[in-house]
Structures are given as C-alpha cells and as structure tokens.
Amino acid sequence: MYDVIILGAGPAGYVAAEHASAMGKTVLLVEQDRLGGVCLNRGCIPTKSFLHAAKLYNHARHGGVFGVVAPDALFDYGIMKTRTEAVQEQLRNGIAFMMKRGKVEVVQGVARIVGRNRVAVGGTDYAGTNILIATGSRPAVPPIPGLADNPAVVDSTALLQADTVADSLAVIGGGVIGVEFACFHALLGKSVTVLEMLPTLCGPVDRDVARAVQKKLEQLGASVHVGATVDRVDGGTVFFRDKKGIGQSVAAERILVAAGRKPNLEGFGLDALGLDVTARGITVNDRAETSVPGVYAAGDVTGRIQLAHFASRQATVAVHAMFGRDDICRDVAVPAVIYTDPEAAGIGLTEHAAKEAGIPVRTVKMPLAASGRFVAETDGEQGFIKAVLAEDGKVLGMHIVGSYASEMIAAAAIMIEYGLTAQDVEKVIFPHPTVAEIMREVMFL
C-alpha cells in the first residue's frame, strides 16, 4: 500500500509527489497525458515562450533609440513553435528526473477511484493510505450560439497547437488568458479585437492596472471593448453589443474563447467517494482536506484560485496534513501576473476592494520612472507601482505595471504573508540600481 496516490501530474500533483517522497513516503503518481499538466503543456510555459519571442521581435523593430537598428526584423512562427516545444520537452524531462530521483512510481493512464483507498488504472488496482486529487481544469465554453462545431472557434489549447499564427484574432473574454494571447498577436502586428463583458479587463485586478493593460493593447493596435455582450457567432464573425448597447460585429480568421476554466470533476470515479462538491470544484479547507478523511484535493479542481503557484502551495499543505505537519494554505498573499508587454502584477487588497469593504487604507502610487534602472532600460514606458497600506503601515496590497513586475511581486508576497509594515520594509536593503528598490521608496511618499 502506498502512503499516497496522486491523481494528476500538474503543478499540484508533481510538486506533492516530490514533497512526499522527500519526506520518505511511498508515492504513486497517475497521469493520463504528460507530466507537467496544463501549465507546462498547454498554458503557462508555452504562452510565456511565445510571448517572449514576440516581445523580442517588437523590441527589435523599435530599438532605434537604443542604437539597435533593425527595420527589416522578421519573425518565423515555425521557429517560435519548435523552440517552445523543445522548452516543454526539457522541462518534462526535468520533472521525470525528479520523480525518478524521489523513487515516485509514475503510471500513465486514466485513473478511476473505486473506493476510499483504491484506484484502478488500466485494469490494475492500487491501494493507498491517502488520495490526493489534482485533476486540474479545462477551458469553459459559454452558452453563446454558434460556438459549437465552428472551425473558426478555438480555445487556448487549440491556439497553442496551431501551425500558423492567424492574421486576425477575435478574443471572447478579456481575462488574463485572453489578454495575453491578444498581446502576442498584437506584438506580431496582427489584427486583434478583445470583447469583455465586465467593465474592465482582467477581472479583479487593480483598476489602474486594468486601465494600463487596456491602454497598452490599444497602443499596439488592438481594439478593446469592455462592457460588451456577445450575442452569437456565425462562421468567422462575432456579433456583439458594445457598452452602450449598440450592435456591432467583427470578422476574424480565428475566434479565441477565453471565458475562464472549469474543474475536471468527471471521468475518474469521484462519485465513489461521496465528497462535498459544488460547480466550482471540490470543497476543501485550509489544509486541503476534503469532507472525507484521508482524501485531499489541490489546484484548479478545488476552484479556489486557478494559478499554478497556488496549486503547488496547496499541494504542499496537503502533504503536510497527511503526515502530521502543521500548515495551512492562505489566500491573502497569492501573487497574480499578466505577462503582457509591459508586464503587470498584483497581490493582496486592491484600492477598489478596500473601499467596497469599508477598510480604511492609504494608497500610494509612484511612477517606475523614479528608478534609475527602469529609465536606463526602457524608453517612454509608463510603468507604476501602487502600495495599499493599513492605517498602521501594514502592507495589504501591491500592484505594479512595468518591466520586471513579475519578478518584483514576490517581495510583496513576503511582506503580506508575514505582516510587514512600511517601517519593516524600510530596514531592508535593496540592491541599486534595480527596479525593485522602488518597492521600498513607495512606502514613504
């Protein structure tokens, strides 16, 4: 009998397997596709590879101010895709090595739960003291007439697998996924239209961040419609009403449906356990425990926060809970990043959310142009940092738009997770010149 059987080898599953094996536990990891899950194979990693390539192309075309003159710069989508696939293969091999080093038994196939401690894979039954469900999520499809059986309509997976880049793209959904694909195509000079039903892009992010992302997309030539309602799709044409209720349409070679993701709850015998499950996912507490003792869930399948790094943390907490280590998974210090050009990142409380909740805060906003390195390495980029502070100076939120935002936000995560105040941050020595040192300076405006 294994100490733990894990269903799914994405950022929750393989991290849990590695962690449990490091604790000396016997582990069975079951994956029906490839190691790495959606993040590595159909999400985070390939999109970042493609976006980096597109940014290099765009920067080369506009590098004259830095003395880099490349007016005839070209991009080759085939090379972009080949390199992206090589990156994915390298990382999958890395995960496989970690599993082998930790003596994790990896079984490829479709798992089916057949009892509280039993899982069947390909006609073989396996027994485990604990079960961790980490089956992830898949793209959600909104009930819009004309999406089904339409060759022009794709989800994020199909778009990444395409052998060519579309000359025109309509994006239904202005969340992070939709915005990143829109940015990729716009950087390559393609025609892009983004349709988002909410008043701002990217859902719950800081309002200033959302406006900055929209402005940059529009500067790249994209057409962005917020407050838009999509009525139907006919072939390659999307019919929608803008925020004033005026009917419009846009034709595109490809139509990306990026309307969120839904948990994978079917096809592996979940009913056999009798867990508490809602439409959002499997219900878990802060220790990743389900309603059935010995059964845990982590990642997108729980519906809490659909981010790879949160999945990994939740999975680690699950392993700790299984084997008696005191730990909880908190939601207050989970960074989110939008890998557009420039990047945007945020964590914790936003100014708008604080006002709605009646929480007294002090918000401080500062241009990244106050950083010497930022000015030296960018040209006219309008980045900023915004800190949300409690009355006693405690850091409650941090929101950044600009180059290096994705790398800087981790420092804010430490501040919030450990309850640091502006006075605490003042004692931290940041290296100079870096853009990150502005995180200290913003505290004292």
Side-chain angles (χ1 to χ4, degrees):
M1 177 177 284
Y2 294 92
D3 292 317
V4 56
I5 298 176
I6 303 170
L7 277 58
Y14 78 76
V15 168
E18 182 183 18
H19 203 71
S21 66
M23 295 175 71
K25 309 302 179 181
T26 55
V27 183
L28 174 69
L29 178 63
V30 185
E31 172 56 53
Q32 66 179 14
D33 190 5
R34 292 176 291 183
L35 294 174
V38 168
C39 178
L40 172 50
N41 297 294
R42 299 180 296 279
C44 319
I45 298 303
T47 55
K48 303 303 113 38
S49 177
F50 278 121
L51 274 165
H52 181 68
K55 290 174 184 178
L56 286 176
Y57 167 69
N58 189 61
H59 294 174
R61 291 178 61 232
H62 299 93
V65 69
F66 296 100
V68 179
V69 182
D72 299 323
L74 301 173
F75 73 87
D76 187 317
Y77 185 74
I79 294 175
M80 289 183 185
K81 186 176 182 184
T82 298
R83 181 186 178 278
T84 295
E85 291 170 346
V87 167
Q88 291 173 287
E89 183 64 20
Q90 177 182 337
L91 294 174
R92 280 193 294 267
N93 289 339
I95 296 172
F97 173 77
M98 288 191 298
M99 298 302 100
K100 183 177 181 180
R101 183 180 62 183
K103 298 181 181 179
V104 173
E105 183 173 352
V106 179
V107 175
Q108 185 171 22
V110 178
R112 184 166 186 83
I113 298 170
V114 293
R116 157 63 188 82
N117 301 101
R118 291 173 53 232
V119 173
V121 186
T124 301
D125 276 14
Y126 300 91
T129 304
N130 301 282
I131 292 177
L132 173 63
I133 301 170
T135 51
S137 64
R138 64 187 183 277
V141 181
I144 297 172
L147 293 183
D149 301 319
N150 186 337
V153 175
V154 295
D155 59 18
S156 57
T157 298
L159 196 59
L160 286 170
Q161 293 173 341
D163 291 327
T164 59
V165 60
D167 287 328
S168 56
L169 180 73
V171 183
I172 299 176
V176 173
I177 295 173
V179 162
E180 289 186 356
F181 277 110
C183 183
F184 170 71
H185 284 75
L187 286 168
L188 296 182
K190 306 303 181 181
S191 174
V192 177
T193 301
V194 180
L195 305 171
E196 170 55 51
M197 68 177 182
L198 295 177
T200 61
L201 296 177
C202 302
V205 303
D206 180 85
R207 298 289 175 86
D208 287 344
V209 171
R211 283 190 285 267
V213 170
Q214 179 174 342
K215 181 179 179 181
K216 182 59 179 182
L217 282 175
E218 291 170 342
Q219 288 174 345
L220 290 172
S223 177
V224 180
H225 298 268
V226 293
T229 302
V230 177
D231 293 321
R232 62 187 176 92
V233 175
D234 186 357
T237 302
V238 182
F239 294 87
F240 67 97
R241 285 169 285 143
D242 63 19
K243 60 184 177 182
K244 296 181 179 178
I246 300 173
Q248 297 192 44
S249 65
V250 59
E253 182 181 340
R254 288 192 186 123
I255 300 168
L256 170 64
V257 178
R261 301 183 65 84
K262 60 187 298 185
N264 290 324
L265 300 170
E266 304 85 19
F268 58 94
L270 188 59
D271 293 345
L273 293 173
L275 302 179
D276 288 342
V277 179
T278 69
R280 291 191 59 190
I282 298 173
T283 303
V284 295
N285 61 16
D286 287 344
R287 289 168 55 81
E289 297 167 324
T290 70
S291 57
V292 175
V295 179
Y296 302 78
D300 286 8
V301 75
T302 68
R304 283 181 65 175
I305 297 177
Q306 292 183 331
L307 293 170
H309 42 281
F310 182 77
S312 297
R313 171 61 183 150
Q314 200 175 27
T316 301
V317 169
V319 172
H320 290 166
M322 290 175 199
F323 305 116
R325 179 172 167 181
D326 189 29
D327 198 3
I328 61 170
C329 185
R330 304 197 318 141
D331 295 356
V332 297
V334 183
V337 180
I338 309 167
Y339 293 88
T340 45
D341 188 14
E343 296 177 341
I347 187 170
L349 200 63
T350 66
E351 181 180 13
H352 178 76
K355 288 180 179 178
E356 285 194 331
I359 301 172
V361 297
R362 181 172 71 94
T363 59
V364 188
K365 188 177 178 182
M366 186 176 185
L368 292 190
S371 158
R373 184 182 178 192
F374 183 82
V375 174
E377 297 187 1
T378 64
D379 180 53
E381 186 178 306
Q382 300 299 308
F384 67 84
I385 182 169
K386 179 193 279 190
V388 181
L389 308 175
E391 291 181 319
D392 63 356
K394 187 176 181 179
V395 182
L396 301 179
M398 190 83 73
H399 310 280
I400 310 169
V401 173
S403 300
Y404 319 106
S406 62
E407 301 296 337
M408 293 164 61
I409 202 66
I414 295 171
M415 296 176 196
I416 296 173
E417 181 65 37
Y418 290 96
L420 301 186
T421 65
Q423 292 73 27
D424 294 323
V425 178
E426 183 182 17
K427 302 171 185 176
V428 178
I429 299 175
F430 287 81
H432 175 81
T434 61
V435 182
E437 62 188 320
I438 204 168
M439 302 180 77
R440 178 182 180 276
E441 303 304 319
V442 74
M443 302 289 180
F444 303 101
L445 289 182

